[in-house]
Amino acid sequence: MWDRWRSPTMRSVIATSRIPTPSARPARRVALGLTAALACVLPAAAANAATIAVPSGAGITMPLGIAQSADTSSVWIADEMLGVCRVTLATATAPAAVVQSQYCLPEVEAEPVAGEPGPPPAPGPSGAGPLAYDPISSSLFVAEGTSKGAGVWRMQLDATGTEIESAVKVVNLGGNRVTALSLSPAGDIDFTADDDALVRRLAGAATAAPGTPPTVVGVAQSQGVASLTHLGTALYLADGSDVTRIATPGAGNINAVPVAGFGASAPTALAADQSRGLVFAGTSLPSTADRVQVLTPGGTVETYATGFAGVTALTIAADGTLYIGDDPAAAAGHPESAEQGRVHVETRHATGLPQVTFSAQPDPYSALTSATFTYTASTGGEFSCRLDASAWAACDAGSTFTGLSDGTHVFEVRASAPGGETGPVARGSFVVDTRAPDEVQVDNAPSDHWITKDRLRLSFSTNESYVRYDCSIDDEPIWGCDSPTDLRDLRLGDHDVVLTATDLAGNTSRPNTWRFTRLLPPAAAAVAAAAPVAAATAADAPDPATAPATGSSARSSCKTVRAPAGTGSYTLSARRDLAATVRPPRLATFAKLTLRKRTAGGPVEALAMRPVTAGRRSTLRVKLLDSYAERLRTRRYRLTIAFGTCRTTVGSWSELKKARRTTPKTRNRKGF
């Protein structure tokens, strides 16, 4: 895939919210608060929920590009698995359907037959990505971006806009995959690629000869820009975690600068309404509660539409209708799930409608069976709310629910303007989980109950995903552990390992104690048995079953190794992956990553303990829980590190002062 990418019944409601009992819905999602801003008002319809014109199961997978030609009953979709396809929109009498052609067929990888030529390559782009439509020349321009080829294709449509008459590759970038493109009002194609931050331009794209060299007209802030759109002479970029802008590509300052108001919204798709001066940006956040924001001519940014899961593409029709492509399966972390892509249709409506912002909401995961939301609106008006897709009902500026069942709950609230127009919906999602994980099970073979070496790799599991494991051996301090974990420097004799699992809601399993014994190797045991034992010294001799072996990390021999402040760095991604790069000081053999509250006396929570080589640069990787990832995004917590000579390292904290926080793209390309 392309580089784009994550309820039970309410029993009673307090009087502050008059919402009927919802139905059961069993998905887990993270709550998301929506931003609010003021803007100008355009005369149009109210901000109602978008209509799904192409539902999941209609045949498309992750629509990376959308365009509407002269045929308004269908849209053109760039689908990395199928190619460039025309998809008819659902009506009251007919469902949405993919129209197959030689450019819209699933790739089939057949086994080669000796002595026979392989199948001819499919026409058109080998991996269809973002696309743009030129109504003057009736051409589709499609980004190509797989290992089989990278560049830009021009596909000529017939007069009706329903058939592709010809296709030619006009730009070839070799292995540098094209990630985004946009058609300028002057008829030029601007595009970006995966391996650099350059913005390239193919001038006169409708008539340019194949092989015409593009020129560099701008520089993005990051590589592999997700989306581009033009508004007048300006170029807007979905540039890492920001929306950026180049005022005049190819002239003056060609470096992209952030656009105020969007914030770190993780934009993945852009579109511009030339006649009304609007720029739209869709998101693909880990919570899968995504939205489309709009930049108005006055320079304000507000939420325009909500209710999406992993926005992948946007386009604007001549009448201002917004087409939104998303893929719930990819957004939820299942990018290989086929035929789950969707297309939503959002009818043009006014901006400047009341924007609802949450001022308080429940934790994303909680063991509590009650939840409270408080919220405000950017302009005056009445609120209406609902829980878990029940009927909308009037509510006040706060809603409290009790007696909630285990599972995911979705709270929605909107506000109406004095004229009766309704603003976009703000959604908050949270999970009630009152059940603790099952007791941790050790997955080692039975033979591991008796070992002769001084180390053991311990594997374990429980019935829940995304849990935090805690380990302790022989009454030593507890540490956060992953499966498998290596136990080293084990003395002779019996050992007890105690394991617990804590889920995202804070429920902890019953401790499980697993016992194993380190024995002497057979040859050493035979020698020991044959050796004469002097009666006079027998009482003073140490018990071989309990005496520490050579090199044992007895508690008294543990040393804390001091490190200079600022040692190491880390990068936090939206997929809950943490990578800390460290150069351990001399004598250190272990490193411990810890999440620590900045306030005095705050809790210290171990994330991982890893063996390291002194003086050698190492990368320590940790799979973060949602709760830890959220804490690292705040200023109240910091990541710290300690080095030592054994697993009981606890001191000499040094903050990673060179740390930088980014959100790199996740790679979900098929076949990579």
Side-chain angles (χ1 to χ4, degrees):
M1 293 295 180
W2 280 69
D3 292 344
R4 297 298 169 91
W5 334 99
R6 228 150 306 49
S7 275
T9 303
M10 178 186 69
R11 295 173 183 167
S12 63
V13 179
I14 290 183
T16 54
S17 182
R18 301 180 297 277
I19 300 178
T21 302
S23 58
R25 301 178 68 189
R28 278 196 167 191
R29 293 184 180 172
V30 181
L32 174 67
L34 301 180
T35 61
L38 294 174
C40 65
V41 177
L42 295 174
N48 297 317
T51 301
I52 298 179
V54 180
S56 293
I60 61 173
T61 299
M62 192 177 284
L64 298 177
I66 304 178
Q68 189 178 66
S69 64
D71 177 39
T72 59
S73 66
S74 64
V75 290
W76 287 93
I77 299 291
D79 186 310
E80 198 268 347
M81 295 184 68
L82 298 177
V84 180
C85 306
R86 188 170 68 89
V87 182
T88 60
L89 304 178
T91 65
T93 58
V98 176
V99 181
Q100 290 196 353
S101 70
Q102 62 176 333
Y103 301 104
C104 177
L105 291 171
E107 287 190 25
V108 178
E109 297 183 1
E111 291 291 332
V113 179
E116 295 185 8
S126 59
L131 56 79
Y133 175 65
D134 179 12
I136 297 176
S137 64
S138 191
S139 301
L140 288 174
F141 295 92
V142 187
E144 180 181 49
T146 68
S147 58
K148 297 179 181 178
V152 178
W153 284 72
R154 182 175 63 218
M155 311 183 84
Q156 186 65 45
L157 301 183
D158 65 4
T160 65
T162 59
E163 298 287 343
I164 298 175
E165 293 182 332
S166 62
V168 60
K169 191 172 185 176
V170 290
V171 175
N172 190 342
L173 290 188
N176 195 4
R177 301 171 178 87
V178 175
T179 60
L181 57 73
S182 177
L183 179 71
S184 74
D188 305 325
I189 284 289
D190 290 347
F191 60 95
T192 56
D194 197 40
D195 294 342
D196 54 54
L198 302 178
V199 179
R200 298 172 174 84
R201 170 170 290 176
L202 177 65
T207 58
T212 301
T215 58
V216 175
V217 295
V219 180
Q221 289 188 336
S222 59
Q223 296 181 194
V225 169
S227 184
L228 299 173
T229 193
H230 288 85
L231 183 63
T233 59
L235 178 67
Y236 290 81
L237 305 86
D239 199 349
S241 61
D242 298 313
V243 175
T244 61
R245 179 177 181 266
I246 302 175
T248 53
N253 182 9
I254 62 173
N255 293 309
V257 296
V259 178
F262 284 100
S265 56
T268 49
L270 302 177
D273 189 334
Q274 299 288 341
S275 62
R276 299 169 183 86
L278 304 173
V279 176
F280 298 90
T283 64
S284 184
L285 299 167
S287 63
T288 69
D290 289 299
R291 55 184 167 160
V292 174
Q293 295 175 289
V294 60
L295 173 66
T296 68
T300 58
V301 177
E302 65 179 63
T303 298
Y304 190 78
T306 61
F308 313 110
V311 177
T312 56
L314 296 175
T315 194
I316 296 285
D319 63 356
T321 300
L322 181 65
Y323 291 85
I324 304 136
D326 72 349
D327 192 324
H334 306 287
E336 300 303 327
S337 299
E339 299 187 3
Q340 297 302 303
R342 303 183 297 188
V343 175
H344 307 256
V345 176
E346 178 80 14
T347 304
R348 183 175 69 89
H349 60 75
T351 57
L353 296 175
Q355 304 281 305
V356 176
T357 302
F358 289 118
S359 51
Q361 55 185 321
D363 290 335
Y365 295 89
S366 174
L368 301 176
T369 59
S370 61
T372 298
F373 290 85
T374 59
Y375 35 85
T376 59
S378 58
T379 58
E382 296 183 351
F383 292 105
S384 56
C385 309
R386 65 178 182 177
L387 184 69
D388 299 332
S390 57
W392 290 98
C395 56
D396 299 322
S399 299
T400 300
F401 309 95
T402 61
L404 298 173
S405 301
D406 280 25
T408 298
H409 298 269
V410 179
F411 175 72
E412 298 173 291
V413 57
R414 63 191 182 187
S416 59
E421 294 177 312
T422 302
V425 175
R427 289 179 175 84
S429 177
F430 62 100
V431 175
V432 174
D433 181 5
T434 61
R435 295 186 294 270
D438 288 349
E439 185 177 274
V440 178
Q441 299 298 313
V442 175
D443 301 325
N444 286 47
S447 58
D448 284 343
H449 282 288
W450 298 274
I451 61 173
T452 56
K453 295 182 179 180
D454 66 347
R455 64 183 60 189
L456 173 66
R457 171 159 289 191
L458 193 67
S459 298
F460 41 87
S461 60
T462 188
N463 65 316
E464 288 193 34
S465 302
Y466 305 120
V467 298
R468 185 193 76 233
Y469 291 105
D470 290 316
C471 299
S472 176
I473 183 169
D474 300 334
D475 296 324
E476 289 189 1
I478 297 172
W479 77 91
C481 51
D482 299 320
S483 177
T485 190
D486 290 326
L487 307 177
R488 300 172 182 269
D489 301 325
L490 299 169
R491 59 173 173 75
L492 292 170
D494 294 332
H495 297 274
D496 289 329
V497 178
V498 180
L499 304 109
T500 59
T502 303
D503 62 24
L504 296 173
N507 303 301
T508 300
S509 68
R510 293 181 303 174
N512 179 24
T513 302
W514 189 78
R515 173 166 291 189
F516 67 99
T517 304
R518 184 192 169 197
L519 306 171
L520 282 172
V527 171
V533 180
T537 60
D540 299 326
D543 184 353
T546 59
T550 302
S552 170
S553 60
R555 194 172 310 169
S556 60
S557 66
C558 290
K559 296 178 181 178
T560 296
V561 181
R562 295 194 174 275
T567 300
S569 63
Y570 73 87
T571 300
L572 177 65
S573 78
R575 293 271 181 180
R576 302 188 300 274
D577 291 318
L578 182 70
T581 303
V582 298
R583 187 183 294 279
R586 188 172 63 88
L587 302 179
T589 56
F590 284 94
K592 176 189 288 184
L593 296 176
T594 304
L595 192 63
R596 191 182 197 191
K597 201 165 186 178
R598 289 181 181 274
T599 57
V604 177
E605 301 176 78
L607 299 180
M609 172 76 78
R610 296 285 188 274
V612 294
T613 302
R616 181 178 300 174
R617 186 175 293 275
S618 302
T619 299
L620 314 178
R621 299 190 181 277
V622 183
K623 196 77 171 179
L624 288 178
L625 303 180
D626 282 337
S627 57
Y628 287 145
E630 287 300 323
R631 291 178 194 179
L632 281 175
R633 292 190 180 96
T634 73
R635 296 183 178 180
R636 294 176 297 171
Y637 288 85
R638 67 179 180 179
L639 186 72
T640 59
I641 190 165
F643 300 100
T645 58
C646 66
R647 285 186 174 275
T648 56
T649 300
V650 293
S652 186
W653 301 102
S654 60
E655 184 172 3
L656 300 178
K657 294 185 178 179
K658 294 181 181 178
R660 60 187 178 87
R661 201 170 291 170
T662 62
T663 307
K665 299 184 301 298
T666 57
R667 296 187 178 273
N668 289 330
R669 280 200 181 107
K670 183 183 179 184
F672 282 73

